[in-house]
Amino acid sequence: GHGQVVGLSLRGADGLKSTPKGSHRGLVIPKSLDGRTGPTLLLEGASDVAAALSLGLTAVGRPSNYAGVDDIAILLHGREVLVVGERDGKPDGSWPGRDGAMKTAGALASRWGCDVGYALPPKGAKDLRAYLHAAVADGLRLDAEEACRETGRALLEELRASVEVTCSPTGPSSSTASGPRVPRLRSFDQIPRTNIEWLWPGRIPRGKLVLLTGDPGTGKSTLTLDLAARVSRGRDWPDGEECERGAVLLLSAEDDAEDTIGPRLDAAGADTACVVQIELPPADRGSPQSGASLVGLGDLVALEETLKAGLTLPGGETIPFRLVVIDPLTAFLDGVDAHRNNEVRGALHPLSEFAERLGLTVLIIVHPRKGQAQNPLDMVAGSRAFVEAVRASWYVTRD
């Protein structure tokens, strides 16, 4: 709330949580944050922050496992930050708390231009609140200030030692927790000017996010697969402009690859050797049909080096990836509230930088809002950020 209280989060003695009507979720910030030095733990939720403060540590809470990144980036810029997730593995193999911490660290690394570490609580503790409960059960008294601080120092050492991956501006890499961040100024006489590069000149830019929406039955999927087919063949665009041949990655959560996407690509005349999808390891597939529900934007970003190397065809030729289609985007936004501007921007920002680094087009499909909209910004279901955060936005309708 930019320094203002925006809501209350209540937790009873039985552990149950509640929120009074009218409360909003925001960052959980200790009053003494400005006067605190040393590392700042970026945690999930209010009770974890309270637990950290009880142990003499500095902490800030994010609204959920991956939310509030834009405000966090402003609030904690220049501090040593360690993002802490949760040990919350699900029966289907997903880890929302761990994956949210990883995405948050990656997003902050991109914004700050430096490494950001993330870690999980010590084994046996789901989160820092559970860690504190266990310490109290072992005899720690919360009114014994020095004992609490000693426990906090031991916890911090464990967290730092458990940093397995550090997210850097160019992706995950093995490293250790980051040090203080020092921003720098860059004058515009040092910034080179470049022209926009196009996948489809004048319509679909390269290295950018492009949005496509429209009512059901208006041909969004048919259109995107025609685009994929043209890229796979290097076949001219409908207006006669030349199309550079390249590989295409499709992420689809609504259509089956065998009986729908494949036949449509064939009908569109695609070189199907140049069109691929993400295939999860067998142990990670949640459904015998497709397992698409377990694929997220993190899986896509993790493939950056693979996509950067291009696609090697059966004959030995290697072609660059030029197009990624995500249909629909909301199916891959794990843990993101599509109606919250800051959460949508936090999810799209790493995707936008991913597209820019690889020089390819990321075409995202979203559903339209229900009912009439006077402003084009309001024609997309959910937050306006879907339209505001992309470089080009197209709406498919009947002629």
Side-chain angles (χ1 to χ4, degrees):
H2 301 286
Q4 303 299 316
V5 174
V6 296
L8 298 175
S9 178
L10 310 178
R11 185 184 290 271
D14 56 4
L16 296 179
K17 294 184 290 186
S18 63
T19 302
K21 184 178 180 180
S23 286
H24 299 282
R25 294 192 305 171
L27 303 185
V28 181
I29 306 170
K31 289 183 178 180
S32 58
L33 179 64
D34 289 341
R36 288 175 174 262
T37 59
T40 300
L41 302 181
L42 184 55
L43 308 172
E44 181 181 334
S47 58
D48 271 19
V49 173
L53 296 178
S54 296
L55 297 175
L57 300 173
T58 301
V60 168
R62 52 196 192 275
S64 64
N65 58 19
Y66 179 64
V69 172
D70 288 330
D71 289 328
I72 292 169
I74 296 171
L75 177 71
L76 300 182
H77 191 275
R79 290 178 174 266
E80 179 189 350
V81 173
L82 177 58
V83 184
V84 181
E86 292 189 354
R87 291 187 179 274
D88 58 352
K90 307 298 183 184
D92 62 5
S94 63
W95 285 69
R98 178 200 62 188
D99 295 345
M102 185 189 303
K103 291 196 295 183
T104 298
L108 293 176
S110 296
R111 284 160 172 76
W112 290 335
C114 64
D115 293 349
V116 178
Y118 73 93
L120 294 180
K123 290 183 178 180
K126 174 181 178 289
D127 50 28
L128 261 62
R129 188 173 75 95
Y131 179 89
L132 181 60
H133 271 271
V136 171
D138 287 340
L140 177 68
R141 292 175 53 90
L142 294 181
D143 58 356
E145 183 175 340
E146 186 52 40
C148 286
R149 289 185 178 277
E150 182 59 35
T151 302
R153 285 191 288 268
L155 170 61
L156 182 59
E157 288 181 8
E158 286 193 67
L159 291 173
R160 282 175 157 165
S162 69
V163 174
E164 299 177 357
V165 177
T166 295
C167 291
S168 70
T170 56
S173 63
S174 297
S175 185
T176 56
S178 59
R181 297 167 185 82
V182 180
R184 65 185 180 88
L185 301 179
R186 188 183 182 198
S187 62
F188 272 86
D189 64 347
Q190 299 175 352
I191 299 176
R193 274 55 167 174
T194 59
N195 294 320
I196 290 180
E197 296 182 349
W198 298 93
L199 182 71
W200 182 353
R203 289 180 169 83
I204 302 180
R206 284 178 52 189
K208 307 290 182 183
L209 298 185
V210 177
L211 186 72
L212 183 69
T213 189
D215 291 316
T218 53
K220 297 187 300 297
S221 296
T222 302
L223 172 59
T224 55
L225 293 181
D226 179 71
L227 299 177
R230 292 175 186 273
V231 171
S232 73
R233 293 282 185 187
R235 195 169 72 236
D236 286 353
W237 297 110
D239 58 1
E241 290 281 359
E242 292 185 2
C243 172
E244 289 187 90
R245 180 170 175 248
V248 181
L249 173 63
L250 298 180
L251 276 70
S252 177
E254 295 187 342
D255 293 322
D256 187 85
E258 287 80 6
D259 62 25
T260 304
I261 299 176
R264 285 181 175 179
L265 286 171
D266 294 338
D271 179 352
T272 51
C274 299
V275 185
V276 300
Q277 64 176 3
I278 292 180
E279 185 174 21
L280 290 170
D284 293 337
R285 295 175 190 163
S287 162
Q289 296 177 347
S290 68
S293 62
L294 290 182
V295 176
L297 296 184
D299 297 294
L300 174 60
V301 175
L303 284 173
E304 180 166 335
E305 292 302 318
T306 300
L307 297 178
K308 189 182 297 182
L311 180 66
T312 301
L313 302 179
E317 178 189 7
T318 299
I319 60 174
F321 278 90
R322 300 201 184 280
L323 176 64
V324 174
V325 178
I326 306 176
D327 183 11
L329 175 68
T330 50
F332 302 93
L333 292 178
D334 182 39
V336 176
D337 188 338
H339 294 275
R340 290 184 177 272
N341 189 289
N342 64 326
E343 293 193 27
V344 172
R345 286 186 179 275
L348 293 184
H349 184 80
L351 189 62
S352 176
E353 294 192 330
F354 165 84
E356 183 177 0
R357 288 194 301 270
L358 271 65
L360 51 73
T361 300
V362 176
L363 181 66
I364 55 180
I365 316 300
V366 296
H367 294 301
R369 66 172 293 176
K370 297 178 181 179
Q372 297 291 324
Q374 299 297 321
N375 190 323
L377 290 171
D378 297 322
M379 297 176 78
V380 174
S383 167
R384 278 189 172 190
F386 284 113
V387 180
E388 295 170 340
V390 301
R391 188 62 182 85
S393 179
W394 293 98
Y395 194 94
V396 179
T397 187
R398 293 188 179 275
D399 184 351

